[in-house]
Amino acid sequence: MQPTQLPLKDIHLPDAISWWPPATGWWILAVLIPLLIVFFIWFYKRLTRKTAIKTAKKILAEIKRDTTRDNNQKLCALSELIRRVAISLSPRTETAGLIGREWLAFLDGPVKGSPFSEGIGQLLADAPYRKTPVTELEVSQLISLCEDWLKSQEKQKR
């Protein structure tokens, strides 16, 4: 047999590697990355929520124990604390602009009844305009109401 008559074919290169379908590792990454992003966002929100409530409870206990402040100063500190916690836990656009009755109605949301709109919680909106000074009993009732509100914030899922 002569070399020109042999049934040989010329050298050929393999086909180029296609980018589709991707390897299994890329599919796993495509699923894991969004899941990890969602998990970290959820974890961050949960952590900041717990931290805000825990810090608020400490500050509320300090306000309760503080004997150097008078009742009006305690009331102002309570109002500021509740507003800061509400802004930390809820979207700023929903809570920062609330005043008066709207603010008290927002605070009534997570607690039973309407203790802010119709009860002792009205002090948060009305105290600066009252003719009579705030009594020690009213401040202690408002502090316990604020404690209940903070407890209801812990249970509330957002």
Side-chain angles (χ1 to χ4, degrees), residues 34-52 158:
L35 287 176
L36 285 173
I37 290 171
V38 168
F39 171 75
F40 283 122
I41 290 171
W42 170 82
F43 184 72
Y44 174 76
K45 285 184 178 182
R46 183 166 189 249
L47 185 66
T48 55
R49 181 177 186 80
K50 284 183 125 181
T51 304
R158 289 196 183 210

mmCIF file of all heavy atoms in Angstrom, residues 34-52 158:
data_model
loop_
_atom_site.group_PDB
_atom_site.id
_atom_site.type_symbol
_atom_site.label_atom_id
_atom_site.label_comp_id
_atom_site.label_asym_id
_atom_site.label_seq_id
_atom_site.Cartn_x
_atom_site.Cartn_y
_atom_site.Cartn_z
ATOM 1 N N PRO A 34 -27.987 35.705 45.455
ATOM 2 C CA PRO A 34 -29.200 36.424 45.872
ATOM 3 C C PRO A 34 -29.724 35.980 47.245
ATOM 4 O O PRO A 34 -30.194 36.813 48.033
ATOM 5 C CB PRO A 34 -30.219 36.110 44.780
ATOM 6 C CG PRO A 34 -29.409 35.721 43.609
ATOM 7 C CD PRO A 34 -28.174 35.093 44.149
ATOM 8 N N LEU A 35 -29.632 34.683 47.534
ATOM 9 C CA LEU A 35 -30.076 34.209 48.840
ATOM 10 C C LEU A 35 -29.236 34.809 49.963
ATOM 11 O O LEU A 35 -29.781 35.208 51.006
ATOM 12 C CB LEU A 35 -30.026 32.684 48.907
ATOM 13 C CG LEU A 35 -31.099 31.938 48.133
ATOM 14 C CD1 LEU A 35 -30.875 30.436 48.219
ATOM 15 C CD2 LEU A 35 -32.470 32.297 48.641
ATOM 16 N N LEU A 36 -27.937 34.890 49.772
ATOM 17 C CA LEU A 36 -27.070 35.488 50.784
ATOM 18 C C LEU A 36 -27.355 36.979 50.958
ATOM 19 O O LEU A 36 -27.353 37.486 52.079
ATOM 20 C CB LEU A 36 -25.601 35.270 50.429
ATOM 21 C CG LEU A 36 -25.074 33.857 50.661
ATOM 22 C CD1 LEU A 36 -23.656 33.713 50.124
ATOM 23 C CD2 LEU A 36 -25.117 33.511 52.135
ATOM 24 N N ILE A 37 -27.618 37.669 49.878
ATOM 25 C CA ILE A 37 -27.937 39.097 49.965
ATOM 26 C C ILE A 37 -29.225 39.299 50.761
ATOM 27 O O ILE A 37 -29.289 40.144 51.658
ATOM 28 C CB ILE A 37 -28.033 39.723 48.563
ATOM 29 C CG1 ILE A 37 -26.642 39.794 47.934
ATOM 30 C CG2 ILE A 37 -28.668 41.096 48.615
ATOM 31 C CD1 ILE A 37 -26.641 40.188 46.473
ATOM 32 N N VAL A 38 -30.244 38.518 50.462
ATOM 33 C CA VAL A 38 -31.516 38.622 51.193
ATOM 34 C C VAL A 38 -31.313 38.278 52.664
ATOM 35 O O VAL A 38 -31.837 38.955 53.552
ATOM 36 C CB VAL A 38 -32.580 37.713 50.545
ATOM 37 C CG1 VAL A 38 -33.800 37.560 51.425
ATOM 38 C CG2 VAL A 38 -32.958 38.239 49.187
ATOM 39 N N PHE A 39 -30.537 37.239 52.942
ATOM 40 C CA PHE A 39 -30.282 36.850 54.333
ATOM 41 C C PHE A 39 -29.568 37.954 55.095
ATOM 42 O O PHE A 39 -29.938 38.271 56.230
ATOM 43 C CB PHE A 39 -29.457 35.564 54.388
ATOM 44 C CG PHE A 39 -28.986 35.227 55.767
ATOM 45 C CD1 PHE A 39 -29.857 34.712 56.706
ATOM 46 C CD2 PHE A 39 -27.667 35.461 56.145
ATOM 47 C CE1 PHE A 39 -29.431 34.420 57.990
ATOM 48 C CE2 PHE A 39 -27.234 35.169 57.427
ATOM 49 C CZ PHE A 39 -28.109 34.637 58.349
ATOM 50 N N PHE A 40 -28.548 38.556 54.509
ATOM 51 C CA PHE A 40 -27.806 39.609 55.212
ATOM 52 C C PHE A 40 -28.651 40.860 55.423
ATOM 53 O O PHE A 40 -28.536 41.520 56.458
ATOM 54 C CB PHE A 40 -26.506 39.941 54.486
ATOM 55 C CG PHE A 40 -25.428 38.919 54.725
ATOM 56 C CD1 PHE A 40 -24.848 38.257 53.670
ATOM 57 C CD2 PHE A 40 -25.011 38.611 56.009
ATOM 58 C CE1 PHE A 40 -23.863 37.307 53.887
ATOM 59 C CE2 PHE A 40 -24.030 37.660 56.242
ATOM 60 C CZ PHE A 40 -23.450 37.004 55.174
ATOM 61 N N ILE A 41 -29.509 41.197 54.497
ATOM 62 C CA ILE A 41 -30.410 42.336 54.689
ATOM 63 C C ILE A 41 -31.374 42.042 55.839
ATOM 64 O O ILE A 41 -31.592 42.890 56.712
ATOM 65 C CB ILE A 41 -31.165 42.661 53.388
ATOM 66 C CG1 ILE A 41 -30.200 43.241 52.359
ATOM 67 C CG2 ILE A 41 -32.325 43.613 53.650
ATOM 68 C CD1 ILE A 41 -30.800 43.404 50.982
ATOM 69 N N TRP A 42 -31.945 40.851 55.853
ATOM 70 C CA TRP A 42 -32.851 40.460 56.929
ATOM 71 C C TRP A 42 -32.131 40.476 58.279
ATOM 72 O O TRP A 42 -32.651 40.992 59.267
ATOM 73 C CB TRP A 42 -33.411 39.067 56.656
ATOM 74 C CG TRP A 42 -34.155 38.488 57.818
ATOM 75 C CD1 TRP A 42 -35.447 38.737 58.174
ATOM 76 C CD2 TRP A 42 -33.644 37.572 58.788
ATOM 77 N NE1 TRP A 42 -35.763 38.025 59.308
ATOM 78 C CE2 TRP A 42 -34.670 37.306 59.705
ATOM 79 C CE3 TRP A 42 -32.410 36.961 58.963
ATOM 80 C CZ2 TRP A 42 -34.504 36.453 60.781
ATOM 81 C CZ3 TRP A 42 -32.253 36.111 60.040
ATOM 82 C CH2 TRP A 42 -33.285 35.863 60.935
ATOM 83 N N PHE A 43 -30.927 39.935 58.317
ATOM 84 C CA PHE A 43 -30.150 39.871 59.555
ATOM 85 C C PHE A 43 -29.795 41.266 60.052
ATOM 86 O O PHE A 43 -29.893 41.561 61.242
ATOM 87 C CB PHE A 43 -28.881 39.045 59.330
ATOM 88 C CG PHE A 43 -28.067 38.851 60.570
ATOM 89 C CD1 PHE A 43 -28.500 38.010 61.582
ATOM 90 C CD2 PHE A 43 -26.862 39.524 60.741
ATOM 91 C CE1 PHE A 43 -27.753 37.841 62.731
ATOM 92 C CE2 PHE A 43 -26.112 39.360 61.881
ATOM 93 C CZ PHE A 43 -26.563 38.512 62.879
ATOM 94 N N TYR A 44 -29.422 42.157 59.148
ATOM 95 C CA TYR A 44 -29.078 43.528 59.519
ATOM 96 C C TYR A 44 -30.290 44.254 60.109
ATOM 97 O O TYR A 44 -30.189 44.914 61.138
ATOM 98 C CB TYR A 44 -28.541 44.291 58.305
ATOM 99 C CG TYR A 44 -28.291 45.746 58.574
ATOM 100 C CD1 TYR A 44 -27.186 46.151 59.291
ATOM 101 C CD2 TYR A 44 -29.182 46.715 58.124
ATOM 102 C CE1 TYR A 44 -26.957 47.482 59.559
ATOM 103 C CE2 TYR A 44 -28.969 48.048 58.383
ATOM 104 C CZ TYR A 44 -27.854 48.425 59.095
ATOM 105 O OH TYR A 44 -27.641 49.753 59.351
ATOM 106 N N LYS A 45 -31.443 44.101 59.463
ATOM 107 C CA LYS A 45 -32.653 44.744 59.978
ATOM 108 C C LYS A 45 -33.029 44.195 61.350
ATOM 109 O O LYS A 45 -33.418 44.936 62.245
ATOM 110 C CB LYS A 45 -33.810 44.560 59.003
ATOM 111 C CG LYS A 45 -33.704 45.434 57.787
ATOM 112 C CD LYS A 45 -34.921 45.275 56.906
ATOM 113 C CE LYS A 45 -34.830 46.193 55.708
ATOM 114 N NZ LYS A 45 -36.007 46.086 54.868
ATOM 115 N N ARG A 46 -32.926 42.897 61.516
ATOM 116 C CA ARG A 46 -33.259 42.268 62.797
ATOM 117 C C ARG A 46 -32.299 42.723 63.885
ATOM 118 O O ARG A 46 -32.714 43.033 65.001
ATOM 119 C CB ARG A 46 -33.214 40.746 62.654
ATOM 120 C CG ARG A 46 -33.625 40.040 63.909
ATOM 121 C CD ARG A 46 -33.891 38.572 63.639
ATOM 122 N NE ARG A 46 -34.485 37.976 64.801
ATOM 123 C CZ ARG A 46 -33.859 37.090 65.565
ATOM 124 N NH1 ARG A 46 -32.652 36.687 65.254
ATOM 125 N NH2 ARG A 46 -34.444 36.592 66.613
ATOM 126 N N LEU A 47 -31.021 42.794 63.542
ATOM 127 C CA LEU A 47 -30.022 43.209 64.515
ATOM 128 C C LEU A 47 -30.219 44.660 64.937
ATOM 129 O O LEU A 47 -30.179 44.978 66.127
ATOM 130 C CB LEU A 47 -28.618 43.012 63.934
ATOM 131 C CG LEU A 47 -27.446 43.289 64.856
ATOM 132 C CD1 LEU A 47 -27.439 42.276 65.991
ATOM 133 C CD2 LEU A 47 -26.147 43.223 64.084
ATOM 134 N N THR A 48 -30.472 45.539 63.977
ATOM 135 C CA THR A 48 -30.672 46.948 64.327
ATOM 136 C C THR A 48 -31.973 47.138 65.101
ATOM 137 O O THR A 48 -32.036 47.968 65.996
ATOM 138 C CB THR A 48 -30.676 47.844 63.082
ATOM 139 O OG1 THR A 48 -31.643 47.371 62.150
ATOM 140 C CG2 THR A 48 -29.307 47.874 62.425
ATOM 141 N N ARG A 49 -32.986 46.364 64.782
ATOM 142 C CA ARG A 49 -34.260 46.454 65.502
ATOM 143 C C ARG A 49 -34.075 46.040 66.956
ATOM 144 O O ARG A 49 -34.516 46.740 67.873
ATOM 145 C CB ARG A 49 -35.299 45.566 64.822
ATOM 146 C CG ARG A 49 -36.654 45.606 65.469
ATOM 147 C CD ARG A 49 -37.648 44.738 64.684
ATOM 148 N NE ARG A 49 -38.954 44.869 65.213
ATOM 149 C CZ ARG A 49 -39.778 45.872 64.954
ATOM 150 N NH1 ARG A 49 -39.415 46.825 64.150
ATOM 151 N NH2 ARG A 49 -40.978 45.929 65.509
ATOM 152 N N LYS A 50 -33.412 44.911 67.169
ATOM 153 C CA LYS A 50 -33.187 44.438 68.530
ATOM 154 C C LYS A 50 -32.315 45.422 69.312
ATOM 155 O O LYS A 50 -32.556 45.681 70.485
ATOM 156 C CB LYS A 50 -32.526 43.063 68.512
ATOM 157 C CG LYS A 50 -33.453 41.940 68.172
ATOM 158 C CD LYS A 50 -32.740 40.638 68.253
ATOM 159 C CE LYS A 50 -33.496 39.731 69.180
ATOM 160 N NZ LYS A 50 -32.871 38.438 69.354
ATOM 161 N N THR A 51 -31.305 45.972 68.650
ATOM 162 C CA THR A 51 -30.415 46.921 69.312
ATOM 163 C C THR A 51 -31.170 48.188 69.702
ATOM 164 O O THR A 51 -30.979 48.718 70.805
ATOM 165 C CB THR A 51 -29.231 47.273 68.401
ATOM 166 O OG1 THR A 51 -28.568 46.065 68.023
ATOM 167 C CG2 THR A 51 -28.253 48.190 69.075
ATOM 168 N N ALA A 52 -32.017 48.679 68.820
ATOM 169 C CA ALA A 52 -32.785 49.896 69.113
ATOM 170 C C ALA A 52 -33.715 49.681 70.300
ATOM 171 O O ALA A 52 -33.801 50.535 71.186
ATOM 172 C CB ALA A 52 -33.582 50.323 67.882
ATOM 173 N N ARG A 158 -41.609 42.937 61.272
ATOM 174 C CA ARG A 158 -41.592 43.842 60.119
ATOM 175 C C ARG A 158 -40.613 43.349 59.121
ATOM 176 O O ARG A 158 -39.642 42.835 59.335
ATOM 177 C CB ARG A 158 -41.230 45.247 60.531
ATOM 178 C CG ARG A 158 -42.354 45.862 61.314
ATOM 179 C CD ARG A 158 -42.201 47.317 61.392
ATOM 180 N NE ARG A 158 -43.290 47.775 62.216
ATOM 181 C CZ ARG A 158 -43.846 48.931 62.107
ATOM 182 N NH1 ARG A 158 -43.441 49.766 61.240
ATOM 183 N NH2 ARG A 158 -44.821 49.280 62.875
#
